[in-house]
Amino acid sequence: MKNLRSKGLILAMHLALLPLVSTPAHAVENAEAVYEEVEKGPNNGRMLRQGNFAIELAIYEDGVPPEFRVWASQSGQPISPDNVKVDVVLDRLGDVKDNIGFYQQEDYLRGDMAIYEPHSFAVKLNAEFQGKEYTWSYDNFEGRVVINDEIAKASGIKTEKAGPANIRKTISAYGQLISPIENTRTISARFDGLVRKVHVNLGDDVKKGMPLLTVESDKSLNSYTIYAPISGVVTNRNINTGEQTKGKELLRIVDKKSLAAELFVFPENRSKIQLGNPVSLVIEGVAAPIEGQIDYISPEMDGLEGVAIRVSIKNQSGSLSPGAMVKGTVTTNIHEVPLSVKRDGIQAFRDFQVVYAKVGTTYEVRMLELGEQAGEWAEVRGGLEPGTEYVTSSSYVIKADIDKSGASHDH
């Protein structure tokens, strides 16, 4: 009775620790089966028993890609592998089935294909020995959790399908808005004299060809008119009617319809930029970024600030002003990749970088072989099928559920 109570206590503790989301219903109903499933053999494999016949099934990955190996025994005595036939079917998430045959090697049977990650599947093993057939089925899930759609939505979990993307490599640059010198005109009198009339005031908008000043020449005593050489805004006025010009600057006109972002690129990034590179500008006081491209690169370094670049900006509304601070994101390279995932969806699992594939209400890890990463995208070179629906937002919620369950696979 004492042994039975002890065994019952162990079973109760084991069941209490099983993760609810990944435990099949039949496992809860058959506690004795759960207890037997975790028995390990001398090769650290899972022991499967029927009567006095037993199979030890192990995933072996010491110096080779993961593979199944099988040892058979009867009444505790090894059976020569050439006397046993074995095949295994792995039923993976998404109705993917792996059919594995076995061949003799030394004192064991060796699987004829690699067991790729994740090692998460329902296992069915068929064996034949001395004309009798044996079958075992069990679940070997890892990195898997079930979350209904309502809870997933409330948790902020969002998904997309894996596919191609443009990997953009970028660098940052900082500076301010300026009015390029070519947009500014300084107005002086060609012939010094008396200003008979000033036709504009500070801040006035003027059109090219509009009269600005009427001046009476000191030499000829004839009056002449100075016209606006460009359209723009009068930003400086240093003369009044009745004053002498005396060779000084009288007015300044600035065309504010076009400005430039003057940015500085760190010296170590100089080799990465070239004319025409796209630039996204975030301007102080402006909600939406403004897109442009590099149209000037200074041939000289400007001390510790680096290399000056310029991006021309249209300012038809006149809402932008010189002096505003600007952050620029310069795209230095665009590389199209055939398969990618969003970097926000990537999490760590064991020694892998993973995303969580979604099939119905089930989420499961997919171990990734990653390539280039930049911006919001990461190139996928292996571990994920194109078109797979995967988690892009709040993937940490699924990671937390899986980590909490502590589910592991056979090794």
Side-chain angles (χ1 to χ4, degrees), residues 200 205-212 226-228:
V200 294
D205 286 317
V206 298
K207 299 292 185 182
K208 182 178 179 179
M210 281 180 58
L212 302 175
I226 301 174
Y227 297 95

Side-chain angles (χ1 to χ4, degrees), residues 74-318:
Q74 186 175 37
S75 301
Q77 299 300 312
I79 299 173
S80 175
D82 61 353
N83 292 328
V84 183
K85 293 182 179 179
V86 172
D87 67 78
V88 168
V89 178
L90 305 181
D91 192 354
R92 295 178 178 269
L93 187 64
D95 295 327
V96 176
K97 295 185 183 298
D98 296 337
N99 296 288
I100 303 171
F102 289 80
Y103 60 93
Q104 180 182 354
Q105 185 163 340
E106 300 177 1
D107 63 339
Y108 59 88
L109 291 170
R110 182 178 183 180
D112 60 7
M113 67 173 287
I115 312 301
Y116 57 89
E117 296 281 5
H119 295 169
S120 182
F121 30 66
V123 181
K124 182 178 181 181
L125 185 147
N126 302 301
E128 183 180 336
F129 175 63
Q130 293 183 344
K132 187 175 180 180
E133 295 183 352
Y134 302 84
T135 298
W136 292 270
S137 297
Y138 63 90
D139 293 335
N140 186 82
F141 297 148
E142 69 160 348
R144 180 185 288 196
V145 68
V146 176
I147 303 176
N148 70 49
D149 290 339
E150 289 184 2
I151 294 177
K153 183 177 180 180
S155 301
I157 295 172
K158 297 180 181 179
T159 63
E160 292 184 15
K161 291 187 177 181
N166 288 325
I167 304 288
R168 294 177 178 265
K169 292 186 177 180
T170 62
I171 60 172
S172 296
Y174 300 87
Q176 63 182 353
L177 291 185
I178 64 169
S179 180
I181 191 170
E182 60 268 23
N183 290 358
T184 301
R185 295 293 187 274
T186 298
I187 309 302
S188 300
R190 183 175 182 183
F191 305 106
D192 278 337
L194 181 69
V195 175
R196 289 297 184 184
K197 186 173 183 179
V198 180
H199 299 279
V200 294
N201 292 312
L202 186 68
D204 281 356
D205 286 317
V206 298
K207 299 292 185 182
K208 182 178 179 179
M210 281 180 58
L212 302 175
L213 301 159
T214 300
V215 180
E216 181 184 284
S217 172
D218 288 339
K219 290 183 178 181
S220 67
L221 300 181
N222 292 324
S223 295
Y224 64 93
T225 302
I226 301 174
Y227 297 95
I230 62 171
S231 298
V233 177
V234 178
T235 61
N236 199 4
R237 172 178 162 172
N238 295 320
I239 196 70
N240 290 309
T241 299
E243 295 180 345
Q244 288 285 331
T245 60
K246 295 181 179 179
K248 65 182 179 182
E249 176 185 313
L250 307 178
L251 300 170
R252 181 179 298 166
I253 300 174
V254 176
D255 179 7
K256 292 182 65 178
K257 298 298 183 183
S258 61
L259 300 175
E262 185 173 63
L263 308 170
F264 289 88
V265 174
F266 292 122
E268 61 268 24
N269 290 327
R270 171 61 186 89
S271 62
K272 301 176 183 177
I273 62 171
Q274 58 186 349
L275 292 174
N277 282 150
V279 185
S280 181
L281 302 170
V282 177
I283 301 174
E284 179 183 25
V286 179
I290 295 176
E291 306 301 322
Q293 63 181 32
I294 297 176
D295 50 31
Y296 170 79
I297 301 175
S298 173
E300 300 175 338
M301 292 283 183
D302 190 354
L304 296 177
E305 288 187 303
V307 180
I309 64 172
R310 287 188 184 179
V311 179
S312 296
I313 300 173
K314 298 296 184 183
N315 188 31
Q316 297 298 326
S317 66

Side-chain angles (χ1 to χ4, degrees), residues 11 14 18 32-41 45-47 410:
L11 285 171
H14 181 79
L18 285 175
E32 187 66 26
V34 173
Y35 179 79
E36 293 297 336
E37 283 178 0
V38 297
E39 180 187 358
K40 294 291 186 178
R46 180 182 289 251
M47 292 303 301
D410 285 345

Side-chain angles (χ1 to χ4, degrees), residues 331-405:
T331 298
T332 59
N333 181 265
I334 302 177
H335 177 52
E336 184 175 357
V337 296
L339 185 60
S340 64
V341 293
K342 286 191 172 178
R343 297 172 74 186
D344 285 348
I346 298 175
Q347 294 287 344
F349 180 82
R350 301 204 327 257
D351 296 329
F352 299 94
Q353 296 292 297
V354 305
V355 291
Y356 299 103
K358 179 180 186 292
V359 178
T361 57
T362 302
Y363 299 82
E364 187 178 82
V365 294
R366 292 293 180 266
M367 285 73 168
L368 304 178
E369 179 187 346
L370 296 176
E372 290 187 79
Q373 299 186 49
E376 65 175 333
W377 297 103
E379 178 187 11
V380 177
R381 295 178 177 172
L384 191 70
E385 291 295 320
T388 299
E389 186 177 1
Y390 73 101
V391 177
T392 58
S393 299
S394 297
S395 57
Y396 62 88
V397 174
I398 298 172
K399 174 179 170 59
D401 278 356
I402 289 174
D403 287 348
K404 183 168 58 178
S405 76

